[in-house]
Amino acid sequence: MVSRSLKSVWHPCTQMQHHSTTPLVPVSHGRGAWLYAADGKRYLDAISSWWVNLFGHANPRINAQLKDQLDKLEHAMLAGFTHEPVVRLSEELSAKTGNVLGHCFYASDGASAVEIALKMSFHAWRNGGHAAKEEFVCLKGSYHGETIGALAVTDIDLFRDAYSPLVKRAHVVMSPDARDARDGETAADVARRAAAALEALLQHRAQHIAAVIVEPLVQCATGMAMHDPIYLSEVRALCDRYQVHLIFDEIAVGCGRSGTFFASEQAISSDGTPVSPDLVCLSKGISGGYLPLSLVMATEPIYQAFYDADTRRGFLHSHSYTGNPLACRAALATLQIFEEDDVLTENRRRAQRITAALEPLANHAKVRHFRQRGMIWAFDAAVDDPGAAADFSRRFFAKALESELLLRPIGATVYLMPPYILDDAECDLLTARTAEVFESVMQDG
Ligand SMILES: *Cc1c(COP(=O)(O)O)cnc(C)c1O
């Protein structure tokens, strides 16, 4: 089976030639936090299958709702038609923002949500008579997806360089990454310095800029770069002052991953209210890791900018599976688990246990910048050049599999992003084995 699939399936983010020596792991089924291979081996899914799986595999509660939905309505087009799952999901999500972001536009993957947000921002300005606002700003090291439009605001060389002639690049400004603190600087100081760099750009370019896109609190794909929440309040104030939209990409950090449902809830503006963007993108965990679903939530002023008798002033974007009822129902089941199990509170308890158990690793001589936010832990292995980092990542992944862990470092950055269902024994197994794998990889290296 493995060799056949090697010919026919072209795997994502993969140099296929590497699999001439490293076999793929053929998964036969999943249950809770565990994936089971056809040969009987099991793996603790410590990165939630690329950050999507929140409540485990084959979750009985999500399964039950999907089975019920399957017998009612699998799909109907969302132009001219509507259905209960998409209405309920939109209302529940809007309510979580106090209805400030009260309009939900749907797609199926994160990159499409990012493209929707960019198009919406540009078109909203154009409808308002500001057609010159056609540029975007992203952070150094940002990742917002890999379609051609999303690559415009993605600043990761590996993903962008090969395609750069196709891409209309955004302005890239300093990241508030707390690891960049100079001597004597706090994380908040770095955040203020990064905000000042953004202001320097806006001062002379704002009339051409539609939006700034930020992944709040943790820039995940670049290697779990964490920043102080004050950055978000500063950027909100700048966007207001210079008349630029603020897009929060909560595709990875949303849905409780950062400790609150939306990461932005942890940033407070000068008037004491949580920082709120003009547009927010959600995907990944929103369907519990079951089905492709993404959405963009927009404020009333943005919605109103399109509300008109003229079709061409409407938002011109559609996907065949927009608002798919099965995916929306999986999302509703996911939100229900958040409520019924008081998941955010339970995760704080889990996080304390995991952080405490990782303390020896945090203090390890070959570990740099141990960091944590909500249900994300990360640290950088002391390996020096990029070649060594890629080699470290591959060896760590292989060793972790031998220890029943699915962990996939980003270069030299090891991170944990487990599902929100680990019991105490699973937390302890994860932390103890992560430390063992690290020790063994560093000794071999
Ligand atoms: C994964 C991710 C995306 C892209 O989502 P896809 O569904 O993979 O297209 C965009 N932004 C962030 C922050 C992500 O983590």
Side-chain angles (χ1 to χ4, degrees), residues 51 108-112 114 143-146 215 220-221 249 251-252 283-284:
W51 324 344
S108 309
D109 57 75
S112 298
V114 166
Y143 179 94
H144 298 290
E146 294 167 58
E215 188 176 12
C220 295
D249 178 349
I251 289 167
S283 187
K284 290 209 162 94

